[in-house]
Amino acid sequence: MKCHRVNELIELIHPEWQKDSDLNLLEFLVKLAKEAGYEGKLEELTDDVLIYHLKMRNSKKDEMIPGLAKDQEDDFKTALLKARGIIK
């Protein structure tokens, strides 16, 4: 895991873990994995699963993923022109 991803994960996990301060770190990670729908071995849980789950944990079910929302265009023509690099 890259250093910036460690920092991002710590920033995201800290306030959420404080809400469940009775859990130790491993118990909290297991809880997050279950909430995210992860069913594999805990040692194979990726930082991406944790980061995206923590980002979306307190959002509405129909809210768009933050990384996708920044690229959304209301009109197809503008989206196509941006994808082809014609406009910025």
Side-chain angles (χ1 to χ4, degrees):
M1 203 182 334
K2 304 268 188 240
C3 186
H4 71 280
R5 294 182 70 79
V6 171
N7 292 336
E8 182 178 14
L9 187 55
I10 290 170
E11 285 176 21
L12 291 168
I13 207 167
H14 186 256
E16 295 301 316
W17 191 13
Q18 284 182 324
K19 295 174 188 174
D20 285 317
S21 60
D22 58 317
L23 301 177
N24 67 42
L25 180 58
L26 193 53
E27 290 171 330
F28 187 63
L29 292 175
V30 168
K31 179 180 180 177
L32 290 175
K34 286 181 183 176
E35 286 177 7
Y38 181 77
E39 296 178 356
K41 296 179 182 178
L42 191 59
E43 61 267 17
E44 295 173 358
L45 179 65
T46 65
D47 53 321
D48 290 329
V49 171
L50 291 171
I51 289 170
Y52 281 106
H53 179 63
L54 286 164
K55 283 183 176 183
M56 299 299 294
R57 189 173 194 218
N58 298 315
S59 63
K60 296 177 184 172
K61 294 280 185 195
D62 60 345
E63 194 171 323
M64 189 174 288
I65 296 171
L68 298 177
K70 68 178 177 61
D71 295 326
Q72 182 183 6
E73 292 294 334
D74 292 331
D75 123 28
F76 180 74
K77 182 179 176 183
T78 302
L80 188 60
L81 293 173
K82 280 187 176 183
R84 292 189 176 174
I86 297 171
I87 62 174
K88 292 184 180 190

